[in-house]
Amino acid sequence: MRILLLISMLFIQLFCFGQSKLEGSYLNKFGERLVFENDSIFSHTWQFDLASSWTKGTYRISNDTIYLRTTLIYDTLEIVNSENEFIKDSLVVSIDETSNSIRNEEFVMSLVAGGGQNRLPPPDKLVLVRGKLFRLNKLGIIDKSKKKQTLTDKSFKTYFFKRN
C-alpha cells in the first residue's frame, strides 16, 4: 500500500502542472517580463529604450497550456466642444493603473507618451517546458524560432526563462 501511495505521488508530481510550479518572474532577451502570482494574477511588462508597456490580467492552466487573459483598465474621457461644454463620455485605455475621468488634453498626452497600458500585448498562450515558457501559435505549436534582437545582429529564441 505504501509503495502504491509513493508511486501515485510521484505520478502526480511528474504529470500534473500546478500554479505553484509556475509562480515567479520570467524574462526574455527582448525586454519582456512576465510575473505569475499564486492567485491566478499575472503582469506583463516590456521596456526598450524610452518605450514601455504594461499589462495585467488573469491566467489559467489547462493540461500543460497556460492561457493569459488581459484585464484592461479604462478611463472615462470627457469630450467637450470648443466652448468647453460637455458633449459625451467615451471609454479609453488608461495610461496608469487607476481608472479616472480625464479630459482631452490628458488623453492626447497619453498618446504621445513613450509608455502605457498594453502597447505590446502579452502572449495569449504559453507552455512550460523544462523551466522555460514558450509561446504557442494559433495552431497550438510551440514557437522555437529565433528572432533578431533590436539594434544587434544577434538572434535569440523568444522563450521566457525564470528569474527570481
Side-chain angles (χ1 to χ4, degrees):
M1 184 71 169
R2 187 176 175 125
I3 293 174
L4 184 59
L5 180 62
L6 287 172
I7 290 172
S8 65
M9 287 175 55
L10 181 62
F11 176 79
I12 289 170
Q13 288 179 352
L14 289 174
F15 296 104
C16 289
F17 183 71
Q19 289 176 327
S20 62
K21 186 176 183 180
L22 180 65
E23 187 179 328
S25 181
Y26 296 80
L27 308 172
N28 70 11
K29 299 283 187 178
F30 301 92
E32 289 179 271
R33 175 188 299 263
L34 275 167
V35 178
F36 294 94
E37 305 292 338
N38 63 1
D39 58 357
S40 298
I41 302 292
F42 82 90
S43 63
H44 174 261
T45 56
W46 168 78
Q47 291 182 314
F48 175 73
D49 201 17
L50 297 175
S52 64
S53 176
W54 64 271
T55 306
K56 295 195 179 270
T58 58
Y59 69 94
R60 70 178 175 82
I61 300 168
S62 178
N63 297 324
D64 63 347
T65 305
I66 304 152
Y67 296 90
L68 303 181
R69 191 168 120 203
T70 298
T71 305
L72 295 178
I73 299 168
Y74 292 96
D75 285 338
T76 303
L77 172 62
E78 296 177 7
I79 301 172
V80 295
N81 63 16
S82 59
E83 285 81 40
N84 208 24
E85 297 170 333
F86 176 81
I87 297 175
K88 65 179 178 176
D89 285 334
S90 181
L91 288 178
V92 295
V93 176
S94 180
I95 196 166
D96 57 28
E97 295 184 38
T98 306
S99 184
N100 295 306
S101 180
I102 62 172
R103 300 300 290 274
N104 199 37
E105 299 81 18
E106 189 177 350
F107 176 65
V108 170
M109 290 301 291
S110 74
L111 294 176
V112 287
Q117 183 180 187
N118 209 41
R119 299 226 172 153
L120 179 74
D124 294 328
K125 295 184 279 187
L126 299 160
V127 65
L128 185 64
V129 178
R130 284 178 244 142
K132 297 174 184 167
L133 284 172
F134 288 88
R135 298 169 195 268
L136 295 176
N137 67 18
K138 293 186 189 289
L139 299 174
I141 299 170
I142 294 175
D143 179 9
K144 291 187 178 180
S145 64
K146 287 186 172 184
K147 294 196 178 8
K148 280 195 175 188
Q149 194 179 47
T150 307
L151 302 179
T152 70
D153 287 332
K154 294 181 180 180
S155 292
F156 296 97
K157 291 186 178 179
T158 61
Y159 64 77
F160 293 84
F161 53 93
K162 193 163 191 176
R163 187 63 132 223
N164 293 336

